[in-house]
Amino acid sequence: MCGIVGYIGERQAVPILLNGLKRLEYRGYDSAGVAVLHNGVISVKRRAGKLRILIEDIEQEPLPGTVGIGHTRWATHGEPIDRNAHPHVNPVRTIAVVHNGIVENFLPLREELESEGVRFQSDTDTEVIVHLIDRFVAAGRPLVEATREALRILKGSNAIVVLSALEPDKLITARLGNAGGIVIGFGEDGEMFVASDLPAILEHTRRVAFLEPGQMAVVTRNGARIFTLEGEEVPVQVTTVPWDISAAEKGAYKHFMLKEIHEQPRALMDTIAGRVDVRTGEIAFSTLPLSKDFARRLKKIHMTACGTAYHTTLVGKVLIERLARIPVETMIASEFRYADPIIDEDMVVLAVSQSGETADTLAAMHEGKHRGATLWAIVNVIGSQAMRMADGYISMQVGPEISVASTKAYTAPLVDLYMLAILLADLRGRLTPQQRKELVGHLQYLPGWVEQVLAREEEVYRVARKYMRMKNALYLGRGINMATAYEGALKLKEISYIHAEGYPAGEMKHGPIALLDEDMPVIAVVPQDPWYEKMISQVEQAKSRGAPVIAVATEGDERIAEVADEVFWIPEVPWMLTPVVAIVPLQLFAYYIAAELGLDVDQPRNLAKSVTVE
Ligand code: M6R
């Protein structure tokens, strides 16, 4: 959940590190720090609070040096105060470490080190790593070996970068388990980069190599060598990533979230492009090879994910079951591995993850693999762990998503699941060529339908202003749009801190109806889908209990216009695609409420973009 960046080259390191940290601030933002090596001395600056506090500090007192490491933190051990911010150093300041993850055996290690006379300067688990490396260096080991020895003692998933004044010509980086990735960037003219995520280094290079769990690297100005934790050298595979830096910049938008909401038509086009042929209705995913035989043998799909990504699986279930008639079970990833799921080799475990690094999702994938299932993943971040672990994957193709609140990485996988459902149905002989062509044909209009919703942004803004002081909201949906209600509520609560619940509308009468009064707005997702009639009656019930109703409904729907207080209109779209379009006004609604309340939309409190701890 923390952001890591490292630089070694001929330029001044600090501006490069701070720029990288700015692009990673979405990963963690309760404190930040840098360590730079100059004339054999490591200088460190660490500050609690937002990155700009550190930047202002460094402007007052610059740190020279051409090799350094930086970190932006999401606290796990120790409150977010200066002394707990990274980098952490040994007492004589010859070794500095930045860290992402959790050292699970930190307490016994700390006790052991303290009994040897080590004095800790912070409350973090990270500091044990520094002292362990220090211990092995003091025993005469070169830095790479000392780091390896230290890593062998640690339990848990951890990613680190080490800087040492004793070996100033290198950075050591390592990855244990799934605590976020490490990417090594190959620059021009004798400079190299290390980071937890691509956006930190994209402005310098697109030539990168990813560390696998259990690997470490020695990075010098001239390149990198990668080793296993046992010391065996492995070939470095350099790939060129297709993203460019403009995709990770805000441009004219006030917040990344608003930019990313507006990027959805483009993102949908990109996720459809190259996968479908609208003239014939054919679908193929080059990274998810799928035979007729396998599709027909498939007994069940277990879908698993967290948060917003989990909501996509609820839509996926409806689509795959309706079209392909394959039973689908959805399970929140943090529950998956403890549920003793019934899985065999004729089943698929399909994980959805924007980051591809979410610890719970990766653990669920491991569980699926261990039980013999074929692993599929829908992921956005190129080179992520989920992408590499899967037997086949679909990339979301939405470019970097920076805002913690996920938007384009919600709608794109809905479309990926729609295409997957059609493909499976086709391979299983459940569609006539005409039906397939019709279903696929709708996709070409989808970006335009989303554009039409975005064109009504002003209306959403007006309603958001009207309701921005509400304390609670109940989001209702049914069938394929139950997930739209869940997702709309999640968007509101995570960025505006207003309590919002997503509920299956039919369940309202079994409890939540007791909450309804004029202070409990009901946001009802009522597009033209097979559940429409049922939804209308629920809206009427809410209205008759005095609750203000904001509806998401299909243009021209006079019944809803009569009963609802406000309506976010969406164009008429085939019902299987309604979740893609109906969520857009709810994303805007949450956004404008949080923005008008003056909240930090892109970096809401207590959250981080990739949740790499359990
Ligand atoms: O990277 P992932 O898609 O695996 O992340 C899963 C959730 O942490 C994520 O969707 C989270 O719920 C977002 N903040 C929602 O906006």
Side-chain angles (χ1 to χ4, degrees):
M1 338 256 284
C2 306
I4 288 179
V5 58
Y7 173 76
I8 181 163
E10 301 302 332
R11 290 190 278 165
Q12 286 299 304
V14 165
I16 293 168
L17 297 177
L18 292 178
N19 248 343
L21 291 181
K22 265 190 219 156
R23 302 196 191 284
L24 292 187
E25 222 190 345
Y26 65 96
R27 285 195 54 107
Y29 33 83
D30 58 39
S31 47
V34 292
V36 191
L37 182 58
H38 185 54
N39 291 338
V41 176
I42 292 180
S43 307
V44 181
K45 274 226 193 294
R46 309 180 294 193
R47 288 293 173 265
K50 292 284 186 148
L51 180 62
R52 84 184 127 67
I53 299 173
L54 176 74
I55 295 175
E56 282 162 15
D57 219 33
I58 290 177
E59 275 165 7
Q60 301 299 316
E61 200 188 339
L63 299 179
T66 56
V67 50
I69 55 180
H71 188 268
T72 173
R73 178 168 187 247
W74 187 84
T76 57
H77 291 63
E79 49 180 323
I81 51 177
D82 286 358
R83 74 185 158 85
N84 287 334
H86 300 212
H88 290 282
V89 286
N90 59 337
V92 290
R93 285 196 174 219
T94 50
I95 298 166
V97 172
V98 287
H99 167 224
N100 182 17
I102 292 180
V103 180
E104 287 171 6
N105 52 342
F106 127 82
L107 274 179
L109 287 174
R110 181 173 173 138
E111 278 164 21
E112 181 186 320
L113 286 158
E114 280 176 332
S115 71
E116 290 170 9
V118 173
R119 288 188 55 195
F120 275 73
Q121 304 157 45
S122 76
D123 314 311
T124 64
D125 54 340
T126 306
E127 206 184 327
V128 300
I129 307 177
V130 187
H131 295 304
L132 286 172
I133 297 174
D134 195 19
R135 180 207 268 177
F136 292 111
V137 167
R141 303 288 183 83
L143 186 64
V144 62
E145 273 180 38
T147 308
R148 184 179 296 129
E149 289 299 321
L151 291 172
R152 284 207 183 119
I153 298 173
L154 304 184
K155 291 211 172 89
S157 287
N158 296 286
I160 59 166
V161 185
V162 186
L163 165 72
S164 172
L166 304 172
E167 297 189 31
D169 57 342
K170 60 179 71 106
L171 294 172
I172 308 282
T173 181
R175 175 175 190 187
L176 295 177
N178 297 323
I182 288 287
V183 55
I184 299 167
F186 292 73
E188 305 290 334
D189 305 326
E191 61 178 6
M192 294 285 290
F193 307 85
V194 180
S196 52
D197 301 79
L198 283 169
I201 58 174
L202 275 180
E203 68 183 290
H204 307 291
T205 182
R206 288 205 259 152
R207 294 181 57 240
V208 299
F210 298 96
L211 279 195
E212 296 290 341
Q215 288 185 343
M216 58 191 297
V218 179
V219 182
T220 64
R221 287 182 171 79
N222 300 319
R225 293 176 70 191
I226 299 183
F227 302 87
T228 64
L229 278 192
E230 288 69 45
E232 194 185 318
E233 186 154 4
V234 293
V236 180
Q237 286 181 353
V238 180
T239 49
T240 302
V241 292
W243 295 355
D244 70 34
I245 192 59
S246 65
E249 280 174 347
K250 247 188 300 202
Y253 289 96
K254 193 168 172 209
H255 295 104
F256 276 110
M257 182 177 178
L258 189 59
K259 175 181 179 242
E260 288 159 7
I261 291 172
H262 279 268
E263 278 172 352
Q264 288 177 110
R266 170 88 235 172
L268 296 177
M269 249 184 263
D270 288 346
T271 208
I272 296 163
R275 273 107 184 234
V276 303
D277 182 336
V278 284
R279 287 165 304 126
T280 61
E282 273 163 34
I283 296 181
F285 296 102
S286 58
T287 49
L288 187 86
L290 193 49
S291 69
K292 198 178 257 186
D293 177 55
F294 184 74
R296 291 183 179 204
R297 207 158 28 93
L298 200 47
K299 283 201 309 221
K300 187 183 240 185
I301 299 178
H302 290 267
M303 294 183 70
T304 186
C306 303
T308 287
Y310 173 70
H311 298 153
T312 70
T313 69
L314 301 176
V315 176
K317 174 180 166 71
V318 177
L319 295 172
I320 293 172
E321 289 189 341
R322 287 281 170 127
L323 289 171
R325 303 308 287 166
I326 300 170
V328 177
E329 228 174 272
T330 64
M331 200 182 292
I332 290 171
S334 52
E335 293 295 323
F336 195 87
R337 84 191 110 147
Y338 305 109
D340 196 10
I342 301 166
I343 295 178
D344 66 36
E345 55 283 354
D346 289 332
M347 297 184 187
V348 158
V349 169
L350 168 52
V352 183
S353 176
Q354 186 286 132
S355 63
E357 302 289 352
T358 300
D360 288 323
T361 307
L362 294 176
M365 290 178 77
H366 274 295
E367 187 65 32
K369 179 132 213 132
H370 171 69
R371 290 176 187 244
T374 297
L375 281 191
W376 291 350
I378 301 180
V379 270
N380 190 38
V381 174
I382 293 152
S384 60
Q385 184 63 14
M387 188 177 270
R388 284 176 290 152
M389 198 196 299
D391 298 306
Y393 69 87
I394 300 173
S395 107
M396 292 182 193
Q397 320 266 61
V398 303
E401 190 181 64
I402 305 293
S403 165
V404 166
S406 196
T407 53
K408 58 182 179 172
Y410 176 69
T411 45
L414 293 183
V415 176
D416 295 327
L417 287 164
Y418 177 80
M419 294 188 285
L420 181 63
I422 299 170
L423 176 60
L424 286 167
D426 190 31
L427 292 170
R428 288 163 70 90
R430 301 203 66 90
L431 293 175
T432 64
Q434 189 50 33
Q435 284 170 323
R436 185 184 72 181
K437 208 168 135 185
E438 210 170 287
L439 288 164
V440 169
H442 298 321
L443 286 171
Q444 61 193 310
Y445 307 109
L446 189 57
W449 289 326
V450 172
E451 291 276 13
Q452 287 177 42
V453 179
L454 291 171
R456 294 178 175 270
E457 190 170 0
E458 278 294 317
E459 286 165 41
V460 182
Y461 173 71
R462 180 188 60 75
V463 179
R465 294 258 327 156
K466 186 168 164 191
Y467 287 87
M468 62 191 257
R469 304 277 166 209
M470 66 187 169
K471 295 279 174 270
N472 298 288
L474 183 63
Y475 284 67
L476 299 178
R478 285 190 85 137
I480 199 165
N481 279 297
M482 204 166 69
T484 312
Y486 293 172
E487 175 60 10
L490 177 61
K491 286 289 89 80
L492 184 69
K493 71 182 121 186
E494 72 178 323
I495 59 169
S496 74
Y497 318 141
I498 293 169
H499 171 240
E501 293 227 37
Y503 231 81
E507 277 289 291
M508 187 175 70
K509 57 188 173 294
H510 299 289
I513 198 163
L515 294 167
L516 296 187
D517 63 15
E518 58 286 357
D519 294 324
M520 173 67 94
V522 166
I523 291 87
V525 187
V526 207
Q528 293 295 335
D529 66 17
W531 297 268
Y532 173 78
E533 288 297 335
K534 297 286 164 206
M535 269 308 294
I536 279 278
S537 70
Q538 250 100 54
V539 171
E540 276 161 356
Q541 281 178 35
K543 197 64 210 151
S544 66
R545 266 53 178 203
V549 172
I550 303 168
V552 179
T554 307
E555 275 160 11
D557 182 343
E558 287 171 11
R559 286 170 74 188
I560 205 76
E562 249 172 56
V563 63
D565 298 87
E566 315 283 348
V567 186
F568 297 145
W569 295 111
I570 63 167
E572 193 174 348
V573 305
W575 72 266
M576 288 191 196
L577 291 172
T578 51
V580 184
V581 182
I583 191 59
V584 178
L586 300 183
Q587 295 169 339
L588 287 168
F589 183 59
Y591 169 77
Y592 278 116
I593 287 182
E596 287 298 299
L597 289 172
L599 297 169
D600 193 344
V601 174
D602 287 331
Q603 294 168 3
R605 68 185 180 205
N606 305 338
L607 288 171
K609 186 66 181 162
S610 344
V611 185
T612 53
V613 292
E614 204 188 326

